[in-house]
Amino acid sequence: MIELRNIWFSYIGNNYVIRNVSVSFDRDVIAIMGPNGSGKTTLLKIASCIYRPVKGKVIVDGVDYWSLSEQEKVKYRRRIVYVHEKPILLKGKVADNIGYGLRIRGYSRVEVEEKVIKIAKELNILHLIDKKANELSTGEKQLVALARALILNPNYLFLDEPLANLHLAVRRQVVEVLKKVRDEGKTTIVIATHDPLLALTMASKVIILDRGRIVQTGKPQNILNKYII
Amino acid sequence: MSATILALTWSIPLSIRMASMKHRVKSVIISVFNALLGLPTVLVGLLLYLIFSRSGPLGFLKLLYTPQIIVIGQAILITPLLVSLMYEVFTKALAEYWELALSLGASRGQAYKTVIREVSGDILTISLIGFSRAIGELGVALIVGGNIKGYTRVLTTAIALEVEKGEFNVAMILGLLLFIIVLSVILSIRFIKRGTQ
């Protein structure tokens, strides 16, 4: 479980973009919704242990993450994967991108190749793996970023607007992949989204964020009726 | 080339440090580096002369009028240029690739390696700009190098000398040679860069 306790965060000075947020993510699909600038991305990055909160604690599997040594932090961080809204790909081939997380974990070249091919087949992007990253469309980049995350079998998967910039057919494909991951039940998925349909079809819990505060949590049907629909 | 490599050894970590700073001090520091871009090379030469002359604070090193002091001087001269340009590159790269590497489980060391790898092409291009500035400067080489024949005479000081002597044709030929050297280095590095992409 990842637990955020009384989190405050600001990029500069006292201009807090996250204000006293306490929330936990455990074995579920949780959708975080809210208007632009409400702090969804920032909250996801704090929960992914990328940003350090100004105040408050991030508890990962019972351990206060920011009190750990650098070596221990890496161990815990490797249970979590965050996927950016705008896919960021590294230079080189698609296969190198998908295998990045495995390489830094010390997997052999052969193991990486095998796993890359397996995940590429699952996501129907096998035809892309020898292409260079800069030759891909945005939708293809998004799929590659998702493959790069899923290949790691994370305990916690944080997705920032996973369907943004995607063509309808690709959206359906991504939703199917995420449903499969959800149904396997090994990964806690947290999705920041503007898309009520995605929240309704995927999530068992919705959190509404507004100006850095949680204003409502509950089942998607109840929440979305009140705030969105 | 030695001056560029020397300047890179401190400019890269300095730029990364500045790019990763969160507080407002960094905008003051980068403004200082931007302002230093316009510093006349003669003034840098004069400052170095005062520091490294026999009565100066570093006079005991006996570096004045040696090739080493020219390299040091040129490295100092191009540092504001390298830092100003690399700061922009690293600010963007840290926001993207540093975060990406961490989000995929990289250690800090692995994340730094990833960032450096991703911006290596930009660093190479910036280095070339620094190299062009260093090889073409006159003030530092003339004041702290002394233009000693066969020892500290470089192309720019040789050109200046020929102009003083009224040998304009020789000066023009040396200038052309300088241009060809810079162009060859830039073209070969661009060729290597394209091959590695």
Side-chain angles (χ1 to χ4, degrees):
Chain A
M1 181 168 74
I2 293 181
E3 196 184 347
L4 306 184
R5 287 186 194 160
N6 306 108
I7 296 292
W8 291 76
F9 183 87
S10 73
Y11 288 97
I12 292 175
N14 289 326
N15 186 15
Y16 289 102
V17 290
I18 297 292
R19 299 156 179 266
N20 199 22
V21 167
S22 294
V23 64
S24 59
F25 306 113
D26 185 26
R27 297 248 170 237
D28 227 334
V29 178
I30 297 134
I32 301 180
M33 303 187 73
N36 287 333
S38 58
K40 299 187 295 295
T41 298
T42 307
L43 191 68
L44 247 59
K45 286 183 180 178
I46 292 168
S48 312
C49 303
I50 296 173
Y51 287 175
R52 183 176 191 158
V54 177
K55 284 185 261 180
K57 284 184 177 176
V58 179
I59 311 292
V60 181
D61 295 335
V63 174
D64 180 1
Y65 175 82
W66 290 103
S67 69
L68 295 172
S69 68
E70 201 47 50
Q71 218 172 357
E72 285 287 298
K73 275 183 191 155
V74 176
K75 196 177 119 193
Y76 278 88
R77 206 163 55 229
R78 287 187 174 175
R79 300 174 184 184
I80 308 165
V81 171
Y82 169 83
V83 182
H84 290 79
E85 179 183 354
K86 286 181 188 160
I88 302 167
L89 297 190
L90 301 166
K91 275 180 196 163
K93 288 184 177 178
V94 167
D96 300 330
N97 266 280
I98 299 175
Y100 174 83
L102 294 177
R103 284 201 308 280
I104 59 173
R105 282 163 173 77
Y107 281 74
S108 71
R109 201 169 55 87
V110 178
E111 281 175 304
V112 174
E113 271 176 26
E114 278 172 9
K115 284 176 182 285
V116 166
I117 289 171
K118 188 168 171 262
I119 196 81
K121 276 181 184 167
E122 280 179 28
L123 268 79
N124 208 14
I125 53 168
L126 193 60
H127 60 290
L128 297 178
I129 61 170
D130 285 325
K131 280 194 176 182
K132 285 190 173 179
N134 57 9
E135 294 170 1
L136 305 183
S137 69
T138 310
E140 288 172 333
K141 283 180 182 171
Q142 191 80 294
L143 283 172
V144 171
L146 194 60
R148 188 174 56 188
L150 293 176
I151 201 171
L152 300 171
N153 288 321
N155 296 1
Y156 305 97
L157 178 61
F158 290 88
L159 302 166
D160 197 354
E161 298 285 359
L163 302 186
N165 317 311
L166 292 186
H167 182 265
L168 197 62
V170 186
R171 284 167 75 103
R172 199 174 297 143
Q173 193 185 344
V174 170
V175 170
E176 288 309 313
V177 170
L178 293 179
K179 276 183 180 170
K180 199 178 158 207
V181 176
R182 177 192 66 184
D183 296 341
E184 282 169 5
K186 293 175 190 163
T187 307
T188 301
I189 303 174
V190 183
I191 306 169
T193 182
H194 279 111
D195 187 346
L197 202 60
L198 179 67
L200 276 168
T201 51
M202 284 289 301
S204 55
K205 184 177 162 187
V206 170
I207 296 169
I208 305 285
L209 210 60
D210 189 19
R211 279 171 283 181
R213 289 183 195 277
I214 292 179
V215 290
Q216 184 84 28
T217 59
K219 287 190 188 289
Q221 296 86 339
N222 306 336
I223 297 285
L224 297 178
N225 277 340
K226 189 175 172 187
Y227 281 90
I228 316 279
I229 302 166
Chain B
M1 192 62 88
S2 319
T4 311
I5 293 167
L6 182 65
L8 283 172
T9 60
W10 59 65
S11 299
I12 291 176
L14 190 64
S15 312
I16 294 176
R17 183 79 192 96
M18 281 166 54
S20 56
M21 282 164 83
K22 280 214 158 77
H23 38 87
R24 288 170 187 148
V25 178
K26 77 171 176 183
S27 63
V28 176
I29 300 174
I30 195 64
S31 302
V32 170
F33 275 103
N34 289 163
L36 287 172
L37 284 173
L39 208 64
T41 60
V42 191
L43 188 61
V44 178
L46 179 63
L47 286 170
L48 285 169
Y49 179 85
L50 294 172
I51 292 167
F52 286 95
S53 64
R54 197 175 289 177
S55 56
L58 296 178
F60 66 92
L61 292 172
K62 294 184 179 164
L63 282 175
L64 205 61
Y65 304 132
T66 64
Q68 289 83 358
I69 191 68
I70 298 179
V71 170
I72 293 169
Q74 288 175 338
I76 291 170
L77 182 77
I78 64 172
T79 295
L81 181 66
L82 297 186
V83 170
S84 299
L85 295 174
M86 282 197 286
Y87 165 77
E88 301 294 337
V89 169
F90 281 117
T91 300
K92 191 168 175 281
L94 287 176
E96 288 191 353
Y97 303 116
W98 172 264
E99 263 191 33
L100 175 73
L102 291 187
S103 73
L104 292 167
S107 64
R108 287 174 70 85
Q110 288 170 327
Y112 272 122
K113 217 168 129 184
T114 303
V115 170
I116 297 282
R117 182 179 169 270
E118 290 304 308
V119 300
S120 56
D122 295 317
I123 292 177
L124 202 59
T125 306
I126 293 168
S127 306
L128 283 178
I129 296 169
F131 168 75
S132 308
R133 166 97 163 126
I135 201 172
E137 78 79 33
L138 173 66
V140 172
L142 199 59
I143 295 176
V144 296
N147 198 18
I148 302 164
K149 190 179 179 185
Y151 188 51
T152 59
R153 183 164 297 168
V154 293
L155 272 172
T156 50
T157 56
I159 292 168
L161 182 69
E162 294 306 326
V163 171
E164 268 182 38
K165 282 159 57 183
E167 298 284 351
F168 297 131
N169 286 342
V170 181
M172 286 300 288
I173 290 166
L174 290 173
L176 188 66
L177 186 64
L178 183 68
F179 174 72
I180 291 169
I181 291 171
V182 174
L183 188 66
S184 318
V185 172
I186 289 175
L187 287 178
S188 27
I189 291 184
R190 283 207 185 282
F191 183 71
I192 295 166
K193 198 177 150 187
R194 195 181 298 170
T196 56
Q197 273 177 344

